[in-house]
Amino acid sequence: MMTASRTRTIALLFVLCSIRALHAQDGKMLNVRDATVEWEYLDLIARGSNIPTTVQSLSFKEAAFYGLNVSTGSIAASDARIRGIFSVQPFILGWKGLDMTDRMTNTSILTRLRLDDPILALGVSFENGGFFGTTQLDFSTDSRPKYVGPEGTSTFLQPMEYLSYWTFPEEAYLSWSTDHLTVVAGRFPTGIGLGKTNIFLNGEPRWYDQVQFSWWSDRFRFFSFWGTSSSHLSEEEYAIQNYFSVVSGKTKLGWDTLNNHDASTQSLVPFKMFTYHRLEFKPAQKLGIGISEMQLIGGKIPDLTNIMPTLIWHNTYTAGVSNVMILADVWSVPVKGLLLYGEFLMDDSKAPSEKGAAKPNCWAWELGTEWVLPVESRDWHFSARGEYSHADKWTYNRWQPYLTLYQRQLITGGHTGFDIPLGHPEGGDVDQGSLTLTALSREGKRLELGYTYIDKGPVYLGMISNVKYPMPDSNGGLTPIYLPVYYDYDDLTGIPGSLEAILGTVRKYSHVINLKTVWPLGRGWEANGEIDFRIILNAGHVAGVTATETVYKTGFKWTYGD
């Protein structure tokens, strides 16, 4: 007869053998803004270890390589599994005093009027070893900014309001991950940078439509990214993107006729794509260095030179249909509990030989630190983060809508979409500083209090003059046309001071206080809430005008199968 002790021993050996035969969902993608990854990163900083990468998306397999304890489930290596996903979130969303003038290009309004998770989501996922796939249908509040006024409320008990504006899917991708590489294609969030604000690839958007390739080792990491934007243009944007000018009797496409010298690009193709490639190097345990380049392609179908992952770029390769910039960054944990990071981005730079040129420098930079407080606790981390970012007046901007640095996300109906900056969330012409205090538990409980100061100038991405000017046409006559607002706008109109007349000189100053809480309750339940309060000086870039804006939201979410 088998004794109880022998039974327990056999059972223990069985469990240990089973664990060796199990492995995590290797291909599933994580994001550093997930509570599980954020906890692990804070844990690394507290122990004096450096952050493994500044790319914000990584697979379970890569997370395991870095020793991050983020696995939420495992299956036998030889098995496949299909799982259903379902979540529902009763909610209350209210807002007061919002300036809805530029609602489709003001991404802070979109960010504030959306919930962190869909109201209702139905999906399915498949996993087998290193392969993972998922897709879903969801209902969200993402379309609210287009349809609502400066004040209002929306709740789960008003289904006809948001069922009319459903968008889907928020997440849908296929991925494959091995010991040192991941390939993934689909829709999911990503970004580059350790800050709350990212100046190179904005981590705030809910998703990018993309293809990613990542390779990693102890000291190196290579990241290549191909993303796409909707090619939708308004009538005004189409008129600018497809503008033909007459120079010395010759008809040329575009506004930058000096540099758009490639006759093969004298046409308009409804296409907008952006590529990033990045090399990270960790020469020491506590130091990381990154070099990145991005290329925006618009108005042409890309050829191989546009999409090769390791090609160093300059827009003269396809003049007039590409926009290029580079980033250098560094991050370090010099002592236990302290993370330091800095970034410098160059869009355009004015060379000494260009003293007579109108082109200004177009740079951006960011400095930040996060301090994990030395509080003894197995289940909580407490941190303080401070950062400051700057983007020059014309950084990220171009004449052509297809080369302006934003991703357009179409909403229901396809008539219009939101312009999500690829760089700094506020676009260019901005200085921004923030201080954030966070308490985060191992289970994902979160309390966060933040203050942000935003000094925003009057230049925004993709501005178009609503005043038509007579310009020479291909027949030698004068035709009234829209003009894109850019640094040498005066030269085009022939009217000194016309740029200042449109933009003005008044800067807008915002003081933002944000309080957020997330509280898992077990068995798939989670409560959450957020209040965003803003005092805005020189509101609307009008001197002496003060405004207050308030957004509050709370939800009670139940999830099954994720």
Side-chain angles (χ1 to χ4, degrees):
M1 183 174 179
M2 188 175 294
T3 64
S5 176
R6 182 175 297 177
T7 301
R8 287 194 296 268
T9 301
I10 294 175
L12 179 60
L13 289 173
F14 177 79
V15 170
L16 291 176
C17 291
S18 299
I19 291 174
R20 292 186 63 188
L22 299 178
H23 79 146
Q25 308 159 21
D26 293 344
K28 186 174 182 179
M29 299 302 294
L30 296 160
N31 191 277
V32 299
R33 298 176 189 263
D34 300 336
T36 51
V37 182
E38 186 179 1
W39 165 272
E40 292 295 313
Y41 276 19
L42 292 175
D43 215 41
L44 287 175
I45 299 170
R47 300 198 310 264
S49 299
N50 202 14
I51 302 300
T53 176
T54 68
V55 176
Q56 294 182 8
S57 53
L58 65 163
S59 67
F60 268 80
K61 191 69 173 181
E62 183 178 2
F65 176 86
Y66 297 130
L68 306 182
N69 183 24
V70 296
S71 179
T72 59
S74 55
I75 61 175
S78 60
D79 290 345
R81 181 166 63 180
I82 297 177
R83 296 191 300 173
I85 302 168
F86 175 77
S87 71
V88 60
Q89 182 173 208
F91 74 97
I92 299 174
L93 171 65
W95 61 95
K96 184 177 181 180
L98 296 187
D99 180 3
M100 309 300 286
T101 305
D102 300 310
R103 62 180 70 203
M104 306 308 289
T105 56
N106 187 342
T107 56
S108 72
I109 291 178
L110 173 62
T111 302
R112 284 178 282 167
L113 291 185
R114 72 185 182 195
L115 305 175
D116 287 345
D117 296 290
I119 302 163
L120 179 67
L122 302 133
V124 62
S125 67
F126 172 85
E127 56 197 67
N128 185 9
F131 178 81
F132 183 87
T134 187
T135 189
Q136 70 182 41
L137 306 179
D138 53 65
F139 299 82
S140 70
T141 61
D142 283 8
S143 297
R144 303 302 293 155
K146 175 176 173 58
Y147 301 100
V148 301
E151 299 184 10
T153 58
S154 183
T155 75
F156 190 76
L157 299 177
Q158 300 168 304
M160 296 310 296
E161 286 193 8
Y162 61 82
L163 289 179
S164 300
Y165 313 136
W166 70 334
T167 57
F168 64 90
E170 276 200 1
E171 185 176 81
Y173 64 87
L174 298 174
S175 64
W176 179 66
S177 192
T178 69
D179 289 342
H180 290 281
L181 67 88
T182 295
V183 179
V184 55
R187 175 175 293 182
F188 58 96
T190 191
I192 295 175
L194 295 176
K196 293 286 186 181
T197 297
N198 306 132
I199 63 173
F200 192 55
L201 181 59
N202 184 7
E204 283 190 0
R206 295 285 274 270
W207 49 264
Y208 291 104
D209 289 326
Q210 61 190 285
V211 177
Q212 270 191 31
F213 173 87
S214 297
W215 174 89
W216 63 86
S217 67
D218 289 327
R219 290 185 177 268
F220 292 94
R221 190 184 197 277
F222 175 75
F223 172 75
S224 190
F225 167 98
W226 301 267
T228 185
S229 165
S230 168
S231 60
H232 174 279
L233 294 176
S234 67
E235 291 184 7
E236 294 83 0
E237 289 171 327
Y238 180 82
I240 289 172
Q241 180 70 43
N242 203 35
Y243 171 68
F244 283 86
S245 60
V246 179
V247 179
S248 301
K250 295 182 178 180
T251 302
K252 289 191 174 184
L253 173 68
W255 298 91
D256 192 3
T257 55
L258 176 64
N259 295 306
N260 189 14
H261 47 70
D262 184 354
S264 69
T265 65
Q266 302 298 304
S267 63
L268 175 65
V269 177
F271 187 87
K272 185 172 183 178
M273 175 183 178
F274 37 95
T275 69
Y276 287 75
H277 44 273
R278 172 175 175 81
L279 178 65
E280 295 179 352
F281 173 49
K282 287 169 276 191
Q285 184 181 9
K286 295 180 178 291
L287 177 65
I289 299 170
I291 299 293
S292 307
E293 186 182 44
M294 76 84 60
Q295 171 202 191
L296 188 61
I297 308 156
K300 66 163 279 185
I301 297 298
D303 51 41
L304 284 177
T305 58
N306 293 111
I307 61 178
M308 286 193 293
T310 58
L311 187 66
I312 298 174
W313 254 89
H314 189 276
N315 67 343
T316 53
Y317 285 8
T318 49
V321 290
S322 65
N323 188 10
V324 183
M325 62 186 65
I326 61 172
L327 176 88
D329 62 307
V330 61
W331 70 100
S332 176
V333 179
V335 296
K336 284 186 178 182
L338 185 66
L339 169 69
L340 304 175
Y341 55 90
E343 304 179 354
F344 173 76
L345 177 145
M346 185 178 71
D347 184 356
D348 279 319
S349 193
K350 186 174 181 177
S353 60
E354 297 178 305
K355 292 181 180 179
K359 182 178 74 174
N361 286 331
C362 298
W363 297 349
W365 52 264
E366 179 178 66
L367 295 172
T369 181
E370 184 159 22
W371 178 36
V372 180
L373 280 62
V375 178
E376 292 293 334
S377 175
R378 291 185 57 188
D379 298 321
W380 286 87
H381 279 311
F382 304 89
S383 66
R385 176 190 292 266
E387 66 182 40
Y388 199 93
S389 57
H390 165 85
D392 286 340
K393 193 169 188 176
W394 298 105
T395 304
Y396 309 123
N397 234 322
R398 279 290 290 265
W399 286 116
Q400 307 95 321
Y402 278 158
L403 295 185
T404 301
L405 207 75
Y406 61 76
Q407 173 195 218
R408 177 159 291 175
Q409 296 183 354
L410 283 189
I411 60 176
T412 304
H415 298 288
T416 188
F418 295 102
D419 296 340
I420 313 294
L422 297 175
H424 196 293
E426 297 287 336
D429 200 10
V430 65
D431 285 273
Q432 178 172 314
S434 65
L435 176 64
T436 307
L437 305 175
T438 303
L440 181 67
S441 80
R442 190 185 299 272
E443 295 80 19
K445 297 175 181 176
R446 182 186 197 89
L447 295 170
E448 181 179 300
L449 175 64
Y451 166 76
T452 304
Y453 169 75
I454 306 173
D455 175 353
K456 181 70 180 76
V459 174
Y460 290 82
L461 295 180
M463 297 181 73
I464 298 175
S465 171
N466 57 8
V467 178
K468 289 189 175 183
Y469 286 90
M471 297 290 286
D473 58 27
S474 58
N475 297 319
L478 296 176
T479 302
I481 62 167
Y482 291 103
L483 292 181
V485 179
Y486 206 41
Y487 59 80
D488 50 359
Y489 186 85
D490 289 4
D491 295 338
L492 284 180
T493 64
I495 305 173
S498 58
L499 177 61
E500 185 174 312
I502 290 177
L503 296 177
T505 58
V506 178
R507 300 186 70 83
K508 182 175 70 174
Y509 306 100
S510 301
H511 300 274
V512 183
I513 298 175
N514 183 271
L515 175 63
K516 182 175 184 178
T517 179
V518 178
W519 209 263
L521 302 171
R523 297 180 179 271
W525 291 96
E526 176 188 280
N528 58 76
E530 184 175 359
I531 297 176
D532 185 289
F533 176 71
R534 304 187 177 209
I535 300 175
I536 304 173
L537 308 179
N538 297 338
H541 298 283
V542 179
V545 175
T546 300
T548 59
E549 298 182 349
T550 305
V551 176
Y552 61 88
K553 49 192 171 184
T554 184
F556 193 61
K557 185 180 70 169
W558 179 70
T559 304
Y560 170 80
D562 192 10

